[in-house]
Amino acid sequence: MGEHLFRMGFRDEAAGYFHKALKLKPDFADAKENFHRVANWLVERWHFLMLNDHKRNAKYQRAIQKAVQSGFNTVLDIGTGTGILSMFAKKAGASEVCACELSNTMYELACEVLSANAMEGEIKILHMKSLDMEIPKDIPNRVSLVVTETVDAGLFGEGIVETLIHAWKHLLLPPQISESQAVPTSGVGRVIPASATVFGMAVQCPEIRRHHRVGVVEVGGVCLTGAPELHSPAIYSTDSDDSTEPYTTERLSRIPGGYTPLTEHFQALTVDFNSPQELGGLCSQKPSRICLPITKHGVLDAIVAWFVLQLDEENSLSTGPEEETCWEQAVYPVQNLLDCAVKPGDSLILEVSCQDAYLRICMVSLVRAGDGMETELDGDPSLSSEAELCSALACLQTTQGRDQQKCMLESSEIALLNNVKYHDSFKTALSKLLSSIRAGGKSESTVLDGTGCSADCGNSQRQDCPNTASDPLYVLDVSEGFSILSLIAAKLGSVKAYSSVEKEQHQTVLKILAETNGVSEEMLEFWLNHVEDDSALLQRPTTDKMWSAVILDCVETCGLIRQELMEKAALARCLLEPGGRIFPGRIVMYGMLVESETLLQESAVQGTEPTLGLNIGPFINQFTVPVHVFLDINTLPCVHLSQTVELFTLDLMYPNANYNSREVKVQTCSSGRVTAIPFWYQVHLDDEISLSTFSEDSHWKQAAVVLDEAIEVKAGDLLLLNIQQHKNSMSITAKKGGEHTATGSAD
């Protein structure tokens, strides 16, 4: 039932069933795997970071305590989460505290937390949005204090503007009229946080660039110059769809390759949350224009933004890239500028606005040094003559006016497209295989007995459909998302390639690329147009033909093996012609022992000290998952306690070579506490060609198993790792000598 509900999109309900199954049978592997999968959706990982952020919690506590003790003692906590801000208010002496939470999972969690802290009868918690709250139906009277942290990395993305406009109109007492007005004990309302200031700067960052801008002209023999303009979902344009989030997020302090500021910090916007008039006019304000001088030579890759949240006059929180903070920064990638090289003397002209509740920072133009144009911050460029105007227009690079066809790709798909080695490796491996089949020989990977499809069954099918010299070979690419591997195969000659690309836009891009690369229309087809059911993706190309190669997408971008990979490989093996093979043929998992306080902080609340004595950890830690994904191990703050070791192998061509469990002895090279085992994969296309998910140009991230208990080690100690495979997950246990066993799993 839980799996069915999850597939239908009912994640809260699915989690309930998975949780019940685990309580009935804690060692039930399927329920554990499913619960870990859904837990990432229900309780996002930033909850743990925030609750472990002692400085953040202490500042909120001080601001709330000061407000309550100043007379603002009827409190509404909007988006309460675990209920921590509500409990701060109650402990400060508030006479009435109400909280609201929309997420069913977080609502139930907050109820448990309040009960554990003996406040269930003192704080009223509502399972609803504050926008739906009414007086006196939900709360008896207007409150004097609203506390909230409904902000994201871009400040407004969680809807704080709309939330507070509604609160001032319907739930809060009227605001203080002036700064000089004496603070009364009743009759006036206020908000914590009181205000926010957004800052930004332009940066050079190769990692952002390769995820948002196609920077290659050819990969795997396919020329990309004829493709439509490809961009990521973080639309960087003044005319973009208002419903589209205009930024992505990064923790700049840990971004691979680092970043280089190209400008000084600038103040983009300020907002007073205690001014209903200012909030009401924020989204209708005309965009403000900022001229930003370039201070350093480099490549313009993005505008990054962060904010300072002023809780009250004395307490503030900064989300800046140089701060030790639980926050990431907002990134507005530059995607539609032809020449991104900049130098001192150049200037960026930006427009900053709050449209559709999103902070938008759009680059209007890049003015090159020596153009003779004067730029005013809040007006149009001032030009003294028609000649200056013509000169400026000739030199000005604008983001407008490009009527070229556009197509959106996920940022991971753009990074994949930029991965030259990935595509060249597939081209070489495919070329070797197809040449071998055409020559009539069997490749080293010909399927033999015991592969999951009997030799007799396979041969009886394959003998009916021998290839002649004039017959094309058939290649199927069932990669997830956008992939040009089918086009690479089609360019190898006498190959009929099928792509599983589903989106119409993506199919259009492949058709255009096929035409510009001289691939005839009949040699590249879209496989989903030939199958009635997506679940029956792996079938024969025709009733009398078999596949020469089937390309499987084996590793998710997040760093985990794809679900149902082995089942798909078993089907694919039965559909191969003699000498055909699956790509990749084999996947080898590698890992190391590390000590990482960061991974601990991101995985669970570490005791009661970070939450200032409140008992929250045991309840939210029910949603701890033992595996962390989307990691960049090279920039992860950690101490390496061992060398790299081989952990496990999955053979997609020869399943008889596989095993369900393996023990690995690992010798430590340093003293410390083993808290986690980061891991990655070597993806073997054949016996000679392989790709690493740990390389600098990889579009894949890495993952790590976090042990439930740290293991103290000294240099030279031996740890025994036990790796077990169960369907689509792997579990890892670690122990030293006869000591306890620490566990984790890689779903």
Side-chain angles (χ1 to χ4, degrees):
M1 177 60 77
E3 288 189 33
H4 177 70
L5 288 169
F6 184 73
R7 285 194 296 268
M8 295 290 290
F10 299 104
R11 298 187 182 113
D12 275 346
E13 293 81 357
Y17 279 96
F18 295 149
H19 205 192
K20 288 176 184 176
L22 271 181
K23 285 183 176 179
L24 291 172
K25 192 175 180 182
D27 295 329
F28 187 12
D30 286 345
K32 188 179 294 185
E33 177 184 337
N34 286 326
F35 182 71
H36 289 162
R37 180 154 47 103
V38 77
N40 277 313
W41 290 95
L42 297 177
V43 179
E44 296 184 79
R45 301 303 96 187
W46 53 258
H47 278 287
F48 297 107
L49 276 174
M50 280 191 168
L51 290 168
N52 280 319
D53 189 340
H54 181 278
K55 183 166 67 173
R56 170 246 180 205
N57 297 336
K59 287 186 175 182
Y60 255 103
Q61 184 187 48
R62 286 198 296 268
I64 291 171
Q65 183 176 18
K66 181 181 176 183
V68 170
Q69 293 177 355
S70 297
F72 298 90
N73 62 359
T74 54
V75 182
L76 172 61
D77 177 5
I78 297 178
T80 192
T82 60
I84 187 171
L85 301 187
S86 294
M87 291 188 288
F88 286 163
K90 196 63 193 176
K91 288 184 70 174
S95 58
E96 295 178 16
V97 181
C98 182
C100 62
E101 174 58 52
L102 181 61
S103 162
N104 183 62
T105 300
M106 294 307 297
Y107 166 76
E108 292 180 352
L109 178 61
C111 290
E112 291 184 50
V113 170
L114 294 183
S115 178
N117 288 274
M119 295 190 194
E120 71 274 22
E122 301 183 50
I123 298 174
K124 180 181 180 181
I125 182 166
L126 304 171
H127 182 206
M128 63 191 308
K129 292 173 68 174
S130 68
L131 298 176
D132 297 328
M133 290 177 62
E134 299 177 7
I135 294 173
K137 178 183 175 183
D138 300 304
I139 56 176
N141 300 294
R142 288 178 177 260
V143 298
S144 57
L145 178 64
V146 161
V147 295
T148 188
E149 199 175 23
T150 49
V151 293
D152 70 341
L155 184 59
F156 301 136
E158 292 289 328
I160 191 171
V161 173
E162 181 185 14
T163 295
L164 292 182
I165 288 173
H166 175 270
W168 279 116
K169 285 183 178 179
H170 304 285
L171 306 173
L172 258 169
L173 290 168
Q176 185 174 329
I177 297 173
S178 68
E179 291 287 335
S180 59
Q181 178 185 355
V183 178
T185 57
S186 63
V188 172
R190 65 178 291 189
V191 172
I192 295 176
S195 63
T197 304
V198 178
F199 297 91
M201 64 180 171
V203 299
Q204 171 179 288
C205 181
E207 183 72 3
I208 293 174
R209 183 190 314 153
R210 75 184 188 98
H211 278 85
H212 297 278
R213 199 160 68 228
V214 177
V216 294
V217 295
E218 180 179 311
V219 287
V222 173
C223 179
L224 303 177
T225 54
E229 181 184 321
L230 304 174
H231 62 81
S232 75
I235 307 297
Y236 193 86
S237 169
T238 54
D239 59 356
S240 62
D241 179 2
D242 282 351
S243 65
T244 305
E245 190 169 82
Y247 50 82
T248 182
T249 64
E250 294 285 353
R251 189 176 299 278
L252 291 178
S253 61
R254 282 166 50 183
I255 198 164
Y259 68 95
T260 302
L262 299 176
T263 67
E264 299 294 336
H265 298 173
F266 66 93
Q267 184 173 308
L269 176 145
T270 60
V271 57
D272 183 353
F273 295 130
N274 280 302
S275 172
Q277 293 78 16
E278 185 174 324
L279 288 169
L282 191 62
C283 293
S284 58
Q285 279 182 4
K286 185 179 179 181
S288 61
R289 184 165 288 197
I290 298 174
C291 179
L292 195 59
I294 299 294
T295 59
K296 188 173 291 188
H297 285 271
V299 176
L300 177 61
D301 292 317
I303 307 296
V304 297
W306 63 95
F307 57 86
V308 173
L309 210 57
Q310 199 71 41
L311 303 182
D312 61 12
E313 299 87 349
E314 300 172 359
N315 296 283
S316 64
L317 297 170
S318 172
T319 67
E322 297 175 358
E323 301 285 339
E324 290 186 13
T325 173
C326 57
W327 291 91
E328 295 183 333
Q329 291 76 47
V331 175
Y332 299 80
V334 175
Q335 303 186 61
N336 46 11
L337 189 64
L338 294 178
D339 181 8
C340 296
V342 294
K343 62 184 183 301
D346 293 346
S347 295
L348 295 177
I349 300 178
L350 308 176
E351 281 190 351
V352 179
S353 63
C354 175
Q355 297 176 12
D356 194 40
Y358 285 120
L359 174 67
R360 296 185 180 275
I361 303 178
C362 299
M363 191 179 72
V364 176
S365 58
L366 170 61
V367 183
R368 300 295 184 182
D371 286 342
M373 184 178 72
E374 297 177 5
T375 303
E376 297 181 357
L377 293 180
D378 295 310
D380 294 326
S382 174
L383 300 167
S384 59
S385 68
E386 184 178 348
E388 285 185 5
L389 175 62
C390 293
S391 174
L393 289 175
C395 298
L396 193 63
Q397 297 189 30
T398 69
T399 62
Q400 307 295 320
R402 295 188 65 181
D403 55 3
Q404 182 184 2
Q405 187 177 2
K406 298 180 180 181
C407 176
M408 186 183 79
L409 300 180
E410 296 298 324
S411 59
S412 59
E413 293 171 335
I414 292 178
L416 171 59
L417 201 53
N418 281 320
N419 191 339
V420 174
K421 182 179 179 181
Y422 175 91
H423 294 95
D424 287 352
S425 297
F426 266 99
K427 177 188 176 183
T428 303
L430 280 166
S431 181
K432 284 171 57 181
L433 172 67
L434 300 179
S435 295
S436 172
I437 293 175
R438 290 191 185 104
K442 293 185 176 181
S443 73
E444 74 277 4
S445 54
T446 302
V447 180
L448 302 175
D449 291 338
T451 63
C453 177
S454 70
D456 291 340
C457 168
N459 288 334
S460 67
Q461 291 175 331
R462 294 165 185 153
Q463 288 168 359
D464 293 338
C465 51
N467 278 303
T468 66
S470 59
D471 283 337
L473 300 179
Y474 288 80
V475 174
L476 173 63
D477 175 19
V478 292
S479 299
E480 300 283 339
F482 182 77
S483 168
I484 65 167
L485 294 180
S486 57
L487 186 53
I488 290 173
K491 280 206 69 177
L492 294 175
S494 193
V495 172
K496 191 170 180 64
Y498 288 82
S499 168
S500 63
V501 165
E502 184 175 5
K503 294 181 180 177
E504 186 176 342
Q505 263 194 329
H506 295 174
Q507 292 185 5
T508 299
V509 173
L510 284 181
K511 288 176 183 177
I512 292 172
L513 285 174
E515 182 180 354
T516 58
N517 280 271
V519 175
S520 61
E521 189 175 337
E522 63 271 13
M523 300 309 283
L524 176 66
E525 296 197 34
F526 298 99
W527 185 237
L528 291 178
N529 298 340
H530 295 262
V531 296
E532 295 181 0
D533 184 359
D534 289 359
S535 64
L537 191 62
L538 289 165
Q539 302 178 18
R540 284 178 169 218
T542 65
T543 55
D544 61 341
K545 295 291 183 183
M546 306 293 280
W547 299 107
S548 298
V550 176
I551 301 170
L552 298 177
D553 204 347
C554 60
V555 181
E556 296 185 48
T557 307
C558 69
L560 299 181
I561 294 292
R562 283 202 180 274
Q563 296 222 341
E564 300 180 354
L565 174 64
M566 300 309 290
E567 293 88 336
K568 289 179 180 178
L571 280 172
R573 287 193 298 270
C574 293
L575 301 173
L576 295 174
E577 69 167 308
R581 70 168 296 144
I582 299 168
F583 289 107
R586 183 164 51 96
I587 305 166
V588 182
M589 178 183 185
Y590 292 90
M592 66 172 68
L593 308 178
V594 302
E595 177 177 357
S596 175
E597 184 65 24
T598 297
L599 286 178
L600 292 179
Q601 295 283 326
E602 294 175 354
S603 66
V605 175
Q606 305 296 311
T608 60
E609 192 271 336
T611 55
L612 310 181
L614 294 173
N615 187 14
I616 297 176
F619 304 95
I620 194 167
N621 288 351
Q622 296 176 76
F623 294 89
T624 293
V625 293
V627 62
H628 284 247
V629 295
F630 287 109
L631 292 178
D632 289 296
I633 298 175
N634 279 328
T635 60
L636 175 71
C638 67
V639 177
H640 293 190
L641 298 179
S642 78
Q643 301 297 320
T644 297
V645 293
E646 181 179 322
L647 298 177
F648 208 84
T649 297
L650 291 175
D651 200 312
L652 306 188
M653 283 298 296
Y654 297 94
N656 273 2
N658 290 329
Y659 37 80
N660 293 324
S661 64
R662 182 172 187 244
E663 288 192 341
V664 179
K665 289 182 178 179
V666 186
Q667 186 172 39
T668 58
C669 59
S670 299
S671 299
R673 298 167 65 244
V674 179
T675 60
I677 306 170
F679 60 89
W680 60 95
Y681 305 98
Q682 196 73 24
V683 179
H684 292 264
L685 304 185
D686 59 25
D687 288 346
E688 298 173 341
I689 302 171
S690 67
L691 296 161
S692 173
T693 66
F694 194 14
S695 63
E696 289 185 1
D697 57 356
S698 171
H699 63 287
W700 290 296
K701 299 294 185 181
Q702 299 88 50
V705 167
V706 179
L707 301 180
D708 56 5
E709 291 184 48
I711 300 176
E712 296 280 350
V713 295
K714 295 180 180 179
D717 284 351
L718 282 178
L719 258 65
L720 184 65
L721 304 184
N722 184 277
I723 304 99
Q724 294 196 1
Q725 181 193 10
H726 175 78
K727 292 188 178 179
N728 301 305
S729 67
M730 290 185 186
S731 63
I732 300 178
T733 61
K735 64 180 179 180
K736 183 179 68 172
E739 296 182 5
H740 70 280
T741 299
T743 64
S745 67
D747 294 333

